[in-house]
């Protein structure tokens, strides 16, 4: 009984820490009184509830750090495996490399990808505003994935097709796509269906991942 209570308390504490880490919410208030918070379940819930789902969505739509992205994507993959019967392996070692699907230096090989509205898939004119929106979506959780190895730098910065397939003796995403967040989300549901990778696809996947993250900690 006591073990179950302790497990529940740690679950609530994890929820508090993750929600605040995701949003960058001010931690000063509970850093000084962490012992009191741990001892009082109502305080844990009070601090956790200061961060709502909309704050999480806003935080993960842009400017997600590589460190945070790696942690969240790893947990999403574990969450899928814990719920789905199709996965043979439920546990994973934390040794994956984070990769941006549309490269951070996208102008080199992705400048021919047309700008589109992130919600309506409507083509947008080539303006500074469109460019700014693309730059913002590149650092979204929706544009990130985890690979069980590092892509060659040239392949990493290549266009979508070459990035998936690789080139000559250089392996692409397909070779490293052992996780559902890469294989299903990007290869099977986008590339294999003949679709390109753009702001709208990033926003669609962003929503999918954030819904799962909220399901875990929201």
């Amino acid at each position: 009984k006591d073990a179950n209570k302790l497990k529940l308390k740690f679950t609530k504490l994890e929820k508090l820490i993750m929600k605040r880490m995701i949003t960058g919410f001010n931690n000063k208030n509970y850093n000084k009184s962490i012992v009191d918070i741990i001892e009082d379940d109502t305080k844990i819930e009070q601090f956790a509830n200061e961060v709502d789902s909309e704050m999480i969505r806003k935080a993960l739509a842009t400017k997600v750090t590589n460190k945070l992205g790696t942690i969240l994507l790893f947990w999403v993959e574990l969450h899928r495996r814990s719920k789905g019967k199709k996965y043979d392996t439920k546990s994973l070692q934390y040794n994956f490399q984070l990769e941006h699907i549309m490269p951070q230096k996208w102008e080199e090989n992705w400048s021919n990808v047309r700008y589109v509205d992130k919600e309506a898939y409507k083509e947008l004119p080539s303006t500074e505003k469109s460019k700014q929106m693309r730059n913002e979506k590149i650092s979204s959780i929706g544009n990130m994935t985890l690979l069980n190895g590092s892509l060659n730098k040239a392949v990493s910065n290549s266009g979508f097709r070459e990035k998936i397939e690789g080139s000559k003796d250089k392996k692409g995403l397909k070779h490293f796509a052992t996780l559902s967040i890469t294989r299903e989300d990007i290869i099977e549901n986008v590339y294999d269906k003949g679709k390109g990778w753009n702001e709208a696809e990033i926003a669609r996947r962003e929503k999918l991942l954030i819904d799962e993250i909220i399901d875990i900690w929201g």
Side-chain angles (χ1 to χ4, degrees):
K1 191 174 180 180
D2 288 341
N4 289 336
K5 283 185 178 181
L6 188 61
K7 183 179 179 180
L8 180 61
K9 188 182 290 288
F10 278 126
T11 299
K12 290 180 179 180
L13 188 61
E14 178 187 300
K15 179 178 177 180
L16 162 65
I17 293 169
M18 290 305 301
K19 289 176 76 171
R20 289 190 165 230
M21 184 172 75
I22 288 168
T23 58
F25 205 81
N26 193 330
N27 296 332
K28 292 180 181 178
N29 291 337
Y30 72 84
N31 280 348
K32 294 180 179 178
S33 55
I34 191 66
V35 174
D36 292 336
I37 292 171
I38 291 173
E39 291 177 351
D40 188 341
D41 282 359
T42 60
K43 285 188 178 181
I44 295 177
E45 292 179 5
Q46 175 190 333
F47 277 90
N49 290 336
E50 288 179 355
V51 176
D52 59 26
S53 297
E54 188 56 37
M55 293 168 70
I56 292 173
R57 292 188 186 281
K58 185 176 180 181
L60 296 179
T62 184
K63 295 182 180 178
V64 177
T65 66
N66 290 357
K67 181 179 180 180
L68 178 60
T70 302
I71 293 170
L72 295 179
L73 290 169
F74 184 77
W75 272 100
V76 167
E77 182 70 24
L78 287 176
H79 185 58
R80 290 184 185 183
R81 288 168 184 259
S82 70
K83 294 176 68 176
K85 295 180 180 180
K86 61 183 177 179
Y87 302 105
D88 295 331
T89 306
K90 301 294 183 182
S91 61
L92 295 168
Q93 287 189 327
Y94 188 71
N95 58 355
F96 294 91
Q97 305 293 319
L98 186 126
E99 180 72 24
H100 291 80
I101 307 306
M102 183 179 288
Q104 292 171 303
K105 296 181 179 180
W106 62 268
E107 291 176 274
E108 183 178 348
N109 293 307
W110 292 65
S111 57
N112 62 334
V113 176
R114 294 175 179 176
Y115 300 104
V116 294
D117 182 272
K118 63 181 183 292
E119 295 175 356
Y121 283 75
K122 180 181 178 182
E123 187 176 338
L124 298 174
S126 180
T127 63
E128 283 301 313
K129 184 177 180 181
S130 298
K131 182 178 178 180
Q132 180 184 352
M133 184 175 72
R134 175 165 291 178
N135 284 328
E136 289 175 351
K137 285 292 106 180
I138 281 174
S139 62
S140 154
I141 191 74
N143 190 48
M144 297 176 173
T145 197
L146 298 180
L147 306 177
N148 66 335
S150 298
L151 291 180
N152 174 275
K153 187 176 180 181
V155 173
S156 182
N157 288 323
S158 293
F160 190 46
R161 183 182 182 283
E162 187 175 327
K163 187 159 189 176
I164 297 292
E165 299 286 354
S167 63
K168 296 181 180 179
D169 59 339
K170 299 179 178 67
K171 296 179 175 67
L173 257 70
K174 275 189 175 181
H175 180 79
F176 299 105
T178 59
L179 304 181
S180 71
I181 55 171
T182 307
R183 187 183 65 255
E184 295 177 14
D185 293 5
I186 298 153
I187 296 176
E188 294 177 6
N189 290 330
V190 181
Y191 180 75
D192 288 351
K193 292 182 178 179
K195 297 190 288 185
W197 191 256
N198 52 36
E199 294 82 1
E201 288 298 336
I202 292 172
R204 179 195 59 77
R205 183 165 175 267
E206 173 191 304
K207 183 181 183 305
L208 171 70
L209 291 172
I210 293 175
D211 284 346
E212 292 177 277
I213 289 166
I214 290 172
D215 190 34
I216 299 170
W217 292 300

